Amino acid sequence: MKHDDAKILQEIQRNTEMGMTAIGTILDKIEDDEFSLQLSKQSLRYAQIHNKALDQILDQEGEVYHGSQLADLMLKGSIHANTALNISKEHLAEMMIQGSSRGITSMWKAMKHNQLATDAAVELAQELVEFEEKNIEKLKEYL
């Protein structure tokens, strides 16, 4: 597997895992069924993109991304701290928008720094970026 492909696909895995973890942590705090359904759909799409990246890595016998438990705990802790005093739909939507914005930035950096990646890896990265942009637009309705 090409180094640049591996880096982009690992970043896709990292990014989607963070999205799924964040949503999983936030879901039990949501009282609005429509908002909860929206985030559940996003989590499902993150899983699909994650699995596409995993399939490409395994097909090319590359190195799978292994997230750390510490990073998971830090993300969950940050979400719990940010929602300790405010679990309003508006606040949760804002947190998710910020997370999606960071995800877009990290994907663009990965693509910029790994320009020798094949079309398949870049197309999947662009698919994730477009998905994150759509998430932001949908989440704005809850602000």
Side-chain angles (χ1 to χ4, degrees):
M1 171 172 248
K2 290 174 62 173
H3 172 77
D4 288 12
D5 282 352
K7 289 297 181 187
I8 287 179
L9 293 171
Q10 288 169 353
E11 182 59 25
I12 291 169
Q13 285 186 298
R14 187 189 72 77
N15 202 313
T16 54
E17 284 180 16
M18 286 186 72
M20 290 184 290
T21 299
I23 290 171
T25 306
I26 284 177
L27 274 178
D28 66 336
K29 300 173 185 295
I30 297 174
E31 297 175 0
D32 181 293
D33 289 342
E34 182 183 325
F35 185 42
S36 180
L37 179 61
Q38 177 63 42
L39 290 183
S40 294
K41 287 178 182 178
Q42 287 181 14
S43 185
L44 179 60
R45 186 72 181 119
Y46 279 129
Q48 292 168 340
I49 294 171
H50 181 276
N51 289 340
K52 284 183 181 181
L54 181 60
D55 287 345
Q56 284 188 34
I57 289 170
L58 295 176
D59 285 346
Q60 299 176 35
E61 299 177 4
E63 182 76 22
V64 175
Y65 170 77
H66 297 286
S68 74
Q69 288 181 331
L70 179 59
D72 248 16
L73 286 173
M74 287 176 57
L75 175 60
K76 290 176 182 179
S78 174
I79 291 170
H80 288 305
N82 275 308
T83 58
L85 301 175
N86 186 356
I87 59 167
S88 70
K89 174 174 51 175
E90 294 83 5
H91 181 65
L92 297 174
E94 181 180 355
M95 288 174 56
M96 291 303 299
I97 289 170
Q98 290 170 351
S100 288
S101 295
R102 283 190 297 273
I104 290 169
T105 301
S106 74
M107 287 312 308
W108 277 112
K109 284 173 68 174
M111 287 187 284
K112 176 124 174 98
H113 294 292
N114 298 286
Q115 294 183 356
L116 299 176
T118 60
D119 289 345
V122 173
E123 286 172 10
L124 188 56
Q126 290 172 335
E127 182 180 333
L128 177 57
V129 168
E130 289 170 12
F131 170 65
E132 292 283 25
E133 289 169 345
K134 288 177 185 173
N135 287 346
I136 291 170
E137 288 305 310
K138 288 177 184 171
L139 290 167
K140 285 179 183 177
E141 297 173 20
Y142 298 99
L143 293 177

